[in-house]
Amino acid sequence: MADILQQEIKYLPGVGPKRAELLNRELGISTFYDLLHYFPYKYIDRTKFYKINELRGDMPYVQLLGKIMNIAVTGPPRKKRLVATFTDGTGTIDLIWFQGIKWMKDAFPQNKTYVVFGKPTVFSGKINLVHPEIEEEEKINKRLNAALQAQYSTTENLKKNFLTSRVIHKLQNTLLQQTLDAIPETLPHKLKEQLVLISRKEALLHIHYPADNEWLRKARFRLKFEELFFIQLNLLKQKVYRDRHFKGYIFDKVGYFLNTFYKEKLTFSLTGAQKRVVKEIRRDLGSGKQMNRLLQGDVGSGKTLVALMTMLIAADNGFQSCLMAPTEILARQHFFTISKWIEGLGINVALLTGSTKKSDREKLHPQLREGKVHILIGTHALLEDEVQFKKLGFVVVDEQHRFGVAQRARLWEKSELLPHVLVMTATPIPRTLAMTLYGDLDVSVIDEMPPGRKPVKTLMFTDSKRLRMFSFLRQQIAEGRQIYVVYPLIRESETMDYKDLEDGYASIVEAFPPPRYAVSVVHGKMKPEEKDVSMKYFISGKTHIMVATTVIEVGVDIPNASVMVIESAERFGLSQLHQLRGRVGRGADQSYCILMVSHKLTHEARKRLEIMLETTDGFRIADADLKIRGPGDLEGTQQSGIPFTLHIANLAQDGQILQLARESAEKILEEDPELSLPYHKMLVIQLRKLSATQKNYSRIS
Ligand code: ADP
Ligand code: MG
């Protein structure tokens, strides 16, 4: 049986090839199914009628019920308009149209009752409705339940071709009449009963044509739940499958490398959170299953150390590890810190980035294949085909959000069994988002900072305080501290942004002249060697101030740097601001973050900055970020891509429904891990359908 929902949209009466193409191009709608799942963004209550004598010029949309007393074309030839005098017994009002005059002027017989819908406007002291919707009352009653009128977002292009919200609404009506009986249920009866969910058919009907508010609520709940449920079911099913079928290397030994490191190299004790996470990881490594773990922890919470200890366990068990970082600077820094940590242990660490020389690569490749290199650290360059290991057992992906899913998957192919995977992220992800993005991973959290850290003090200044700010910086430098000054550079290609940076650099050098002061600069357009030299000068303390773009945002660790000045702070996103602030406060001294802002701030920018002043807690910041910006927009998620398009659920608001969806999916998989029971067949069918329509649905992780 052909699935009517898969029909091309051009076959829907009222659409045709031209509109079909527009719908496709502008809204991505190409089938009946797509249109049915193009949900309204709001509803207008059509149960309420206003009286003409109640109308005021500042009202939003109003609905009137009455008769037309007189209708006529007036005005000079070039400014013709159609004016209808409309009454409901409490007064009269003019309905005015400037377009469609010809066919409209005879379309409204005067003996009928009409429903008029529009926004009151005041014109020369009189209230009018310009271009109102008008329809015979009788006809409205004949339509499907129309109490709350759905509003659909459209584009200029669509409107030009008469595909307005109203027209889309009408198309939905035609569509529902044609397909309603063919809409299959996708959720098992038992689940629907437990959660008191209405049927899918009812939900789709009432989302487009709600009978009343209660039906609308039920329809929304059902559709949101379903959307989130299948995402969770898909993720958890993959996890269950992996757990049941994919073996992992067993690292059951703790040997010379870790023991010696622990006894001789580690000069401080692990925090409670670090100990807990190491335990969680060791349990995974001994289980015979492949580890897939997300390690969340605020900047500076000591994730890298946990990763290193795990790499040493891998080495103790005869396996190689690699660590992939998102930027060259970070990879280098990891390489240097890790090299220092393991000095004298007999572990070989190598670095591989885009700028590694060909001759060095040629030396490195055989060493990797022969197992002579224990730990390989690098950037995307690790993914190249020539990079082959003898026995890759453990992969660390740092700052995961910058890597695409496909890139992660490629690392897996470099060993016989799947290597254990630890994904580290310092961008605290709100729980709801983590559940969707990484729902198939186990999660460990480092929620405790190493002792002795003082929270960073955050201050906000406008330009009028710049001189005072400079004298504060001089004072800090006199005390031996170092300073970052960061300029926004949202797109590395924008020359304008570079001008900000260059001007900024010039003014800093002017205010901090040599020979007394030394200033370094680092930005994305520099050659790696130049960046390196600049970084080295700053790390070694030869320069006092580092002027930079956000290339220093992630991971850079210089404990002596105690002030972070962020120029045009209002132009940064919250999580970026938080990352930048995390660059200081790494030593024992009091650190400062100074937000330089302009006088004029948008409401949103002000909110972001207020949160920065209020808290240093990464999770609170992430939550606030999600609320302010909405999930589709979260930094980093674009690159890695929220793997699903959400049509109706909203991660910022529907956390509880998500939780319910996840628990429901867990329960079902507990009972039926392979979804092979007859009454779960509908779930398998739906998952298959979704993976056919959403390209990332069956992503590998
Ligand atoms: P993250 O990767 O989470 O940002 P790092 O692992 O880079 O954090 O650690 C930040 C700094 O804190 C490093 O200088 C590290 O040596 C130090 N550190 C890590 N764990 C501890 C601990 N338990 N006690 C004291 N210092 C620690
Ligand atoms: Mg780090």
Side-chain angles (χ1 to χ4, degrees), residues 247-255 258 278-291 307-322 374 391-396 415 417-422:
K247 285 210 196 78
Y249 298 119
I250 296 182
F251 298 174
D252 53 0
K253 268 202 303 252
V254 166
L258 185 69
V278 171
K279 242 188 231 158
E280 286 165 355
I281 290 173
R282 288 196 53 191
R283 204 182 311 131
D284 287 353
L285 300 179
S287 71
K289 291 177 196 159
Q290 180 222 4
M291 172 170 81
L308 172 62
M309 288 172 65
T310 312
M311 292 194 262
L312 294 176
I313 296 176
D316 275 333
N317 287 271
F319 284 89
Q320 293 165 290
S321 302
C322 68
H374 300 95
K391 241 180 148 184
L392 178 64
F394 176 50
V395 173
V396 186
S415 63
L417 289 186
L418 295 172
H420 297 296
V421 178
L422 187 69

Side-chain angles (χ1 to χ4, degrees), residues 268-271 274 298-305 341 450-451 453 557 586:
F268 44 73
S269 36
L270 297 179
T271 62
Q274 283 172 319
D298 220 332
V299 274
S301 61
K303 297 179 296 296
T304 311
L305 185 61
W341 276 115
R453 299 262 172 91
D557 185 15
R586 311 199 125 220

